[in-house]
Protein backbone atom coordinates (compact mmCIF):
# COMPACT_ATOMS: atom_id res chain seq x y z
CA UNK A 1 0.00 0.00 0.00
CA UNK A 2 1.11 3.55 -0.70
CA UNK A 3 0.67 6.25 1.95
CA UNK A 4 0.72 9.81 0.59
CA UNK A 5 0.95 12.80 2.91
CA UNK A 6 -0.13 15.91 1.01
CA UNK A 7 0.86 18.86 3.17
CA UNK A 8 -0.40 21.82 1.17
CA UNK A 9 0.98 24.41 1.70
CA UNK A 10 -1.60 27.13 2.16
CA UNK A 11 -2.67 29.04 -0.95
CA UNK A 12 -1.39 26.41 -3.41
CA UNK A 13 -4.62 24.88 -4.70
CA UNK A 14 -4.99 22.46 -1.78
CA UNK A 15 -8.74 23.01 -1.38
CA UNK A 16 -9.35 22.56 -5.12
CA UNK A 17 -7.31 19.34 -5.10
CA UNK A 18 -9.24 18.02 -2.11
CA UNK A 19 -12.55 18.83 -3.81
CA UNK A 20 -11.42 16.98 -6.93
CA UNK A 21 -10.42 13.95 -4.86
CA UNK A 22 -13.72 13.96 -3.03
CA UNK A 23 -15.85 14.23 -6.16
CA UNK A 24 -14.08 11.45 -8.06
CA UNK A 25 -13.64 8.61 -5.65
CA UNK A 26 -11.85 5.41 -6.61
CA UNK A 27 -12.46 2.13 -4.74
CA UNK A 28 -8.68 1.67 -4.47
CA UNK A 29 -7.91 5.19 -3.24
CA UNK A 30 -8.97 6.35 0.22
CA UNK A 31 -8.67 10.06 1.04
CA UNK A 32 -8.75 11.85 4.36
CA UNK A 33 -9.12 15.62 3.99
CA UNK A 34 -9.92 18.54 6.30
CA UNK A 35 -13.51 17.38 6.80
CA UNK A 36 -12.28 14.15 8.42
CA UNK A 37 -8.94 15.09 9.98
CA UNK A 38 -8.70 14.81 13.74
CA UNK A 39 -6.36 17.69 14.53
CA UNK A 40 -6.21 21.45 14.42
CA UNK A 41 -2.54 22.32 14.15
CA UNK A 42 0.84 21.06 15.33
CA UNK A 43 1.62 17.90 17.23
CA UNK A 44 -0.03 19.02 20.47
CA UNK A 45 -3.42 18.83 18.71
CA UNK A 46 -2.56 16.03 16.29
CA UNK A 47 -4.45 12.79 16.87
CA UNK A 48 -1.85 10.17 15.99
CA UNK A 49 -4.03 7.27 17.12
CA UNK A 50 -6.67 8.33 14.59
CA UNK A 51 -4.05 8.22 11.80
CA UNK A 52 -2.92 4.72 12.83
CA UNK A 53 -6.53 3.51 12.91
CA UNK A 54 -7.20 4.83 9.42
CA UNK A 55 -4.05 3.29 7.96
CA UNK A 56 -4.68 -0.05 9.63
CA UNK A 57 -8.29 0.03 8.40
CA UNK A 58 -7.07 0.63 4.83
CA UNK A 59 -4.69 -2.33 5.22
CA UNK A 60 -7.55 -4.63 6.22
CA UNK A 61 -9.70 -3.41 3.31
CA UNK A 62 -6.99 -3.96 0.70
CA UNK A 63 -6.78 -0.29 -0.32
CA UNK A 64 -3.94 0.51 -2.73
CA UNK A 65 -3.39 4.21 -1.91
CA UNK A 66 -4.23 6.28 1.17
CA UNK A 67 -3.97 10.07 0.91
CA UNK A 68 -3.88 12.35 3.93
CA UNK A 69 -4.38 15.90 2.66
CA UNK A 70 -4.37 18.93 4.92
CA UNK A 71 -2.64 22.32 4.73
CA UNK A 72 -1.78 22.23 8.42
CA UNK A 73 0.35 19.11 7.90
CA UNK A 74 3.05 21.51 6.68
CA UNK A 75 3.19 22.94 10.22
CA UNK A 76 3.31 19.63 12.10
CA UNK A 77 6.68 18.92 13.75
CA UNK A 78 8.84 15.87 13.11
CA UNK A 79 7.50 13.97 16.13
CA UNK A 80 3.96 14.42 14.85
CA UNK A 81 4.81 13.32 11.31
CA UNK A 82 6.57 10.22 12.65
CA UNK A 83 3.17 8.52 12.96
CA UNK A 84 3.28 8.12 9.17
CA UNK A 85 6.90 7.03 8.87
CA UNK A 86 6.25 4.40 11.51
CA UNK A 87 4.61 2.40 8.71
CA UNK A 88 7.64 2.66 6.39
CA UNK A 89 8.70 -0.94 7.03
CA UNK A 90 5.59 -2.33 5.34
CA UNK A 91 4.30 0.45 3.05
CA UNK A 92 5.61 2.92 0.49
CA UNK A 93 5.57 6.48 1.84
CA UNK A 94 5.49 9.78 -0.01
CA UNK A 95 5.39 13.37 1.24
CA UNK A 96 4.03 15.86 -1.29
CA UNK A 97 4.21 19.61 -0.75
CA UNK A 98 3.61 22.59 -3.03
CA UNK A 99 5.28 25.96 -2.55
CA UNK A 100 4.15 29.27 -3.99
CA UNK A 101 6.72 32.02 -4.39
CA UNK A 102 6.49 34.66 -1.70
CA UNK A 103 5.70 37.40 -4.25
CA UNK A 104 2.21 35.96 -4.76
CA UNK A 105 1.94 33.73 -1.68
CA UNK A 106 2.19 36.49 0.93
CA UNK A 107 -0.57 38.71 -0.52
CA UNK A 108 -2.81 35.65 -0.78
CA UNK A 109 -1.98 34.50 2.75
CA UNK A 110 -2.63 37.97 4.15
CA UNK A 111 -5.99 38.06 2.35
CA UNK A 112 -6.95 34.70 3.84
CA UNK A 113 -6.01 35.80 7.33
CA UNK A 114 -8.09 38.95 6.90
CA UNK A 115 -11.12 37.02 5.66
CA UNK A 116 -10.97 34.86 8.78
CA UNK A 117 -9.86 37.04 11.66
CA UNK A 118 -7.07 39.61 11.26
CA UNK A 119 -7.28 43.37 10.75
CA UNK A 120 -3.76 44.65 10.05
CA UNK A 121 -2.77 46.42 6.81
CA UNK A 122 -0.64 44.48 4.36
CA UNK A 123 2.36 46.71 5.03
CA UNK A 124 2.28 45.80 8.73
CA UNK A 125 1.90 42.12 7.82
CA UNK A 126 5.00 42.33 5.61
CA UNK A 127 7.06 43.95 8.35
CA UNK A 128 6.26 41.09 10.71
CA UNK A 129 7.04 38.53 8.01
CA UNK A 130 10.46 40.12 7.46
CA UNK A 131 11.25 39.61 11.16
CA UNK A 132 10.07 35.95 11.30
CA UNK A 133 12.05 35.24 14.45
CA UNK A 134 12.32 32.42 15.30
CA UNK A 135 12.02 31.00 11.78
CA UNK A 136 8.55 29.58 11.18
CA UNK A 137 7.64 27.15 8.41
CA UNK A 138 4.76 29.26 7.07
CA UNK A 139 7.38 31.82 5.95
CA UNK A 140 10.62 29.82 5.72
CA UNK A 141 9.67 26.90 3.45
CA UNK A 142 13.01 25.19 4.00
CA UNK A 143 11.71 24.32 7.48
CA UNK A 144 8.85 22.31 5.93
CA UNK A 145 11.21 20.12 3.90
CA UNK A 146 13.71 19.73 6.74
CA UNK A 147 10.97 18.70 9.15
CA UNK A 148 9.63 16.03 6.79
CA UNK A 149 13.15 14.69 6.31
CA UNK A 150 13.79 14.58 10.06
CA UNK A 151 10.52 12.67 10.47
CA UNK A 152 11.92 9.94 8.23
CA UNK A 153 10.41 10.63 4.81
CA UNK A 154 12.77 9.55 2.03
CA UNK A 155 10.36 10.24 -0.81
CA UNK A 156 9.60 13.94 -0.81
CA UNK A 157 8.01 15.51 -3.88
CA UNK A 158 8.35 19.31 -4.06
CA UNK A 159 6.17 21.22 -6.51
CA UNK A 160 6.18 24.83 -7.61
CA UNK A 161 2.68 26.27 -7.68
CA UNK A 162 3.86 29.11 -9.92
CA UNK A 163 5.29 26.73 -12.53
CA UNK A 164 2.32 24.34 -12.34
CA UNK A 165 -0.32 26.98 -13.08
CA UNK A 166 1.68 28.03 -16.16
CA UNK A 167 2.05 24.49 -17.51
CA UNK A 168 -1.18 22.56 -17.24
CA UNK A 169 -2.56 23.42 -13.82
CA UNK A 170 -1.95 22.53 -10.18
CA UNK A 171 -4.45 19.63 -10.02
CA UNK A 172 -2.77 17.57 -12.78
CA UNK A 173 0.60 18.32 -11.18
CA UNK A 174 -0.60 17.10 -7.78
CA UNK A 175 -2.27 14.08 -9.36
CA UNK A 176 1.05 13.07 -10.92
CA UNK A 177 3.00 13.76 -7.72
CA UNK A 178 0.59 11.57 -5.72
CA UNK A 179 0.78 8.82 -8.40
CA UNK A 180 -2.97 8.79 -8.96
CA UNK A 181 -4.08 6.92 -12.09
CA UNK A 182 -7.45 8.55 -12.82
CA UNK A 183 -7.74 12.10 -14.17
CA UNK A 184 -9.10 14.60 -11.66
CA UNK A 185 -11.28 17.51 -12.72
CA UNK A 186 -11.36 20.86 -10.94
CA UNK A 187 -14.63 21.80 -9.27
CA UNK A 188 -16.27 25.00 -10.51
CA UNK A 189 -16.11 28.02 -8.20
CA UNK A 190 -19.35 29.71 -7.16
CA UNK A 191 -17.72 32.50 -5.13
CA UNK A 192 -19.57 35.82 -5.16
CA UNK A 193 -17.39 38.81 -5.93
CA UNK A 194 -19.30 42.02 -6.64
CA UNK A 195 -16.53 44.49 -5.73
CA UNK A 196 -12.82 44.50 -6.57
CA UNK A 197 -11.16 41.79 -4.51
CA UNK A 198 -8.54 44.10 -3.00
CA UNK A 199 -11.28 46.47 -1.79
CA UNK A 200 -13.37 43.62 -0.45
CA UNK A 201 -10.50 42.24 1.64
CA UNK A 202 -9.79 45.69 3.09
CA UNK A 203 -13.44 46.01 4.14
CA UNK A 204 -13.44 42.60 5.82
CA UNK A 205 -10.24 43.24 7.77
CA UNK A 206 -11.56 46.56 9.09
CA UNK A 207 -14.83 44.87 10.12
CA UNK A 208 -12.66 42.30 11.93
CA UNK A 209 -10.93 45.16 13.73
CA UNK A 210 -14.25 46.59 14.89
CA UNK A 211 -15.32 43.20 16.19
CA UNK A 212 -11.99 42.50 17.96
CA UNK A 213 -11.96 45.96 19.52
CA UNK A 214 -15.46 45.47 20.90
CA UNK A 215 -14.59 42.01 22.22
CA UNK A 216 -11.26 43.17 23.71
CA UNK A 217 -9.45 40.55 21.65
CA UNK A 218 -6.19 40.62 19.73
CA UNK A 219 -6.54 42.50 16.46
CA UNK A 220 -4.46 39.90 14.56
CA UNK A 221 -5.15 36.55 16.16
CA UNK A 222 -4.12 34.39 13.20
CA UNK A 223 -0.82 36.20 12.80
CA UNK A 224 -0.15 35.67 16.49
CA UNK A 225 -0.93 31.97 16.13
CA UNK A 226 1.53 31.57 13.30
CA UNK A 227 4.27 33.54 15.02
CA UNK A 228 3.86 31.49 18.19
CA UNK A 229 4.26 28.17 16.44
CA UNK A 230 0.68 27.26 15.67
CA UNK A 231 -1.33 27.40 18.90
CA UNK A 232 -4.96 26.85 17.91
CA UNK A 233 -7.36 29.80 17.78
CA UNK A 234 -11.01 29.76 16.71
CA UNK A 235 -11.82 31.69 13.53
CA UNK A 236 -14.66 31.90 11.05
CA UNK A 237 -14.74 33.12 7.47
CA UNK A 238 -16.81 36.33 7.55
CA UNK A 239 -17.00 37.05 3.82
CA UNK A 240 -20.73 36.39 3.37
CA UNK A 241 -21.72 38.22 6.55
CA UNK A 242 -19.70 41.31 5.63
CA UNK A 243 -21.09 41.25 2.06
CA UNK A 244 -24.63 41.28 3.44
CA UNK A 245 -23.88 44.16 5.81
CA UNK A 246 -22.39 46.24 3.00
CA UNK A 247 -25.38 45.52 0.74
CA UNK A 248 -27.87 46.43 3.48
CA UNK A 249 -26.05 49.60 4.59
CA UNK A 250 -25.12 51.63 1.50
CA UNK A 251 -24.10 54.69 3.52
CA UNK A 252 -21.64 52.64 5.59
CA UNK A 253 -20.36 51.00 2.42
CA UNK A 254 -19.83 54.30 0.62
CA UNK A 255 -18.00 55.93 3.53
CA UNK A 256 -15.78 52.93 4.15
CA UNK A 257 -14.93 52.53 0.46
CA UNK A 258 -14.00 56.21 0.35
CA UNK A 259 -11.69 55.96 3.36
CA UNK A 260 -10.01 52.88 1.93
CA UNK A 261 -9.51 54.43 -1.51
CA UNK A 262 -8.11 57.64 -0.02
CA UNK A 263 -5.50 55.69 1.98
CA UNK A 264 -4.53 53.28 -0.82
CA UNK A 265 -0.93 52.86 -1.92
CA UNK A 266 0.73 50.51 -4.38
CA UNK A 267 3.11 47.93 -2.92
CA UNK A 268 5.35 45.95 -5.26
CA UNK A 269 6.90 42.63 -4.24
CA UNK A 270 10.05 41.76 -6.21
CA UNK A 271 11.84 38.42 -6.25
CA UNK A 272 15.05 39.94 -4.87
CA UNK A 273 13.29 40.71 -1.59
CA UNK A 274 13.13 36.97 -0.83
CA UNK A 275 16.59 35.88 -2.03
CA UNK A 276 17.66 34.47 1.35
CA UNK A 277 14.47 32.45 1.79
CA UNK A 278 14.71 31.10 -1.74
CA UNK A 279 18.36 30.07 -1.33
CA UNK A 280 17.60 28.20 1.90
CA UNK A 281 14.71 26.37 0.25
CA UNK A 282 16.81 25.36 -2.78
CA UNK A 283 19.58 24.05 -0.52
CA UNK A 284 17.32 21.62 1.36
CA UNK A 285 15.27 20.77 -1.75
CA UNK A 286 18.32 19.86 -3.86
CA UNK A 287 18.30 16.32 -2.47
CA UNK A 288 14.81 15.74 -3.86
CA UNK A 289 14.80 17.77 -7.08
CA UNK A 290 17.85 18.83 -9.11
CA UNK A 291 16.47 22.14 -10.36
CA UNK A 292 15.58 25.21 -8.25
CA UNK A 293 12.04 25.16 -6.89
CA UNK A 294 11.01 28.34 -8.73
CA UNK A 295 11.98 29.21 -12.30
CA UNK A 296 10.52 32.48 -13.54
CA UNK A 297 8.84 34.65 -10.93
CA UNK A 298 6.69 37.66 -11.74
CA UNK A 299 6.78 40.67 -9.45
CA UNK A 300 3.45 41.56 -7.90
CA UNK A 301 2.14 45.12 -7.65
CA UNK A 302 -1.19 45.76 -5.96
CA UNK A 303 -3.08 48.47 -4.14
CA UNK A 304 -3.40 48.22 -0.37
CA UNK A 305 -4.94 50.51 2.20
CA UNK A 306 -2.74 51.80 5.01
CA UNK A 307 -5.72 52.21 7.35
CA UNK A 308 -5.60 50.80 10.86
CA UNK A 309 -8.82 50.27 12.76
CA UNK A 310 -7.86 53.17 15.04
CA UNK A 311 -7.92 55.47 11.98
CA UNK A 312 -11.69 55.06 11.62
CA UNK A 313 -13.77 57.63 13.53
CA UNK A 314 -15.22 56.22 16.75
CA UNK A 315 -18.81 57.00 15.68
CA UNK A 316 -18.27 55.21 12.38
CA UNK A 317 -16.88 52.15 14.16
CA UNK A 318 -20.06 52.09 16.26
CA UNK A 319 -22.17 52.20 13.07
CA UNK A 320 -20.29 49.20 11.70
CA UNK A 321 -20.73 47.30 14.95
CA UNK A 322 -24.49 47.96 15.01
CA UNK A 323 -24.79 46.76 11.41
CA UNK A 324 -22.83 43.59 12.19
CA UNK A 325 -25.00 42.84 15.20
CA UNK A 326 -28.16 43.34 13.15
CA UNK A 327 -26.92 40.84 10.59
CA UNK A 328 -26.11 38.35 13.36
CA UNK A 329 -29.65 38.66 14.75
CA UNK A 330 -31.07 38.03 11.27
CA UNK A 331 -28.99 34.86 10.87
CA UNK A 332 -29.90 33.58 14.32
CA UNK A 333 -33.57 33.99 13.38
CA UNK A 334 -33.39 32.42 9.89
CA UNK A 335 -30.63 29.84 10.35
CA UNK A 336 -29.93 28.56 13.83
CA UNK A 337 -26.79 26.61 12.80
CA UNK A 338 -25.20 29.63 11.11
CA UNK A 339 -26.35 31.82 13.96
CA UNK A 340 -24.63 29.66 16.54
CA UNK A 341 -21.38 29.80 14.58
CA UNK A 342 -21.61 33.58 14.15
CA UNK A 343 -22.46 34.11 17.82
CA UNK A 344 -19.09 32.56 18.70
CA UNK A 345 -17.42 35.04 16.35
CA UNK A 346 -19.27 37.90 18.05
Amino acid sequence: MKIVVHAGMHKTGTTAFQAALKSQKSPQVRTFGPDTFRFTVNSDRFDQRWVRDKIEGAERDGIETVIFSHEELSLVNADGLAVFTGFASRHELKYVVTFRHWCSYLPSRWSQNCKRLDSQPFKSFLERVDQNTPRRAWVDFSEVVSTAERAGFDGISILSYDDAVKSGGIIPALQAACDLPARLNAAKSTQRNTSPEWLRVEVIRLFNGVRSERKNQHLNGLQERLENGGTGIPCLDQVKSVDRVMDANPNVAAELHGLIEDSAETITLERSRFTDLEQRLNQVAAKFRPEPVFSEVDEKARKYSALYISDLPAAFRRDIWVALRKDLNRDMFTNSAVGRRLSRWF
Side-chain angles (χ1 to χ4, degrees), residues 22 39 92 95 123-124 128 210 225 313 336:
K22 191 173 182 179
F39 81 101
E92 180 183 353
Y95 184 94
K123 189 173 183 178
S124 173
R128 297 174 70 168
V210 169
R225 188 201 80 170
S336 59

Side-chain angles (χ1 to χ4, degrees), residues 279-317:
Q279 287 178 345
R280 281 202 293 273
L281 175 59
N282 286 332
Q283 286 172 359
V284 299
K287 181 177 178 180
F288 305 102
R289 52 179 290 159
E291 70 280 2
V293 175
F294 304 109
S295 53
E296 295 183 6
V297 175
D298 300 325
E299 68 177 32
K300 297 294 180 182
R302 206 184 91 172
K303 285 201 297 186
Y304 299 93
S305 168
L307 279 177
Y308 287 87
I309 184 61
S310 56
D311 295 326
L312 300 181
F316 186 47
R317 299 204 296 273

Side-chain angles (χ1 to χ4, degrees), residues 82-108:
V83 66
F84 298 105
T85 55
F87 288 90
S89 61
R90 56 186 200 261
H91 297 300
E92 180 183 353
L93 300 180
K94 193 169 190 180
Y95 184 94
V96 177
V97 63
T98 306
F99 297 121
R100 182 173 178 175
H101 193 274
W102 298 267
C103 284
S104 63
Y105 163 71
L106 290 175
S108 187

Side-chain angles (χ1 to χ4, degrees), residues 20-227:
L21 287 171
K22 191 173 182 179
S23 65
Q24 299 180 23
K25 294 180 180 179
S26 165
Q28 292 305 314
V29 178
R30 186 167 292 177
T31 303
F32 299 101
D35 54 341
T36 58
F37 246 95
R38 296 284 296 278
F39 81 101
T40 303
V41 65
N42 266 351
S43 59
D44 60 338
R45 304 286 293 278
F46 184 52
D47 191 338
Q48 296 181 328
R49 179 178 297 179
W50 177 83
V51 171
R52 293 190 191 95
D53 289 345
K54 296 305 179 185
I55 293 175
E56 290 167 357
E59 288 175 332
R60 290 191 297 270
D61 295 340
I63 300 297
E64 294 178 2
T65 303
V66 180
I67 301 176
F68 293 89
S69 177
H70 202 300
E71 294 169 336
E72 299 288 4
L73 283 168
S74 62
L75 303 180
V76 172
N77 63 30
D79 289 340
L81 290 177
V83 66
F84 298 105
T85 55
F87 288 90
S89 61
R90 56 186 200 261
H91 297 300
E92 180 183 353
L93 300 180
K94 193 169 190 180
Y95 184 94
V96 177
V97 63
T98 306
F99 297 121
R100 182 173 178 175
H101 193 274
W102 298 267
C103 284
S104 63
Y105 163 71
L106 290 175
S108 187
R109 189 67 192 262
W110 169 80
S111 295
Q112 183 183 63
N113 287 1
C114 291
K115 288 177 181 179
R116 293 180 175 177
L117 193 64
D118 289 358
S119 65
Q120 64 187 328
F122 182 65
K123 189 173 183 178
S124 173
F125 172 83
L126 270 185
E127 290 169 353
R128 297 174 70 168
V129 165
D130 287 341
Q131 296 170 5
N132 192 35
T133 305
R135 294 211 305 263
R136 297 298 186 191
W138 73 277
V139 173
D140 190 341
F141 301 158
S142 68
E143 291 293 310
V144 177
V145 180
S146 297
T147 298
E149 191 172 11
R150 288 197 304 272
F153 282 95
D154 294 323
I156 299 179
S157 181
I158 301 169
L159 307 182
S160 164
Y161 174 85
D162 308 71
D163 292 346
V165 296
K166 295 177 181 178
S167 59
I170 187 61
I171 291 180
L174 282 168
Q175 176 187 337
C178 295
D179 301 321
L180 296 177
R183 178 176 175 81
L184 298 175
N185 296 316
K188 293 182 179 180
S189 173
T190 58
Q191 181 176 346
R192 171 188 183 276
N193 191 4
T194 58
S195 61
E197 182 64 14
W198 82 271
L199 187 60
R200 194 169 182 230
V201 173
E202 300 286 359
V203 168
I204 294 169
R205 74 170 180 84
L206 291 170
F207 273 45
N208 288 342
V210 169
R211 172 258 178 195
S212 297
E213 183 182 58
R214 285 281 177 164
K215 299 280 285 185
N216 293 317
Q217 294 178 346
H218 199 286
L219 293 176
N220 302 294
L222 281 178
Q223 181 88 6
E224 289 296 307
R225 188 201 80 170
L226 292 167
E227 290 177 351

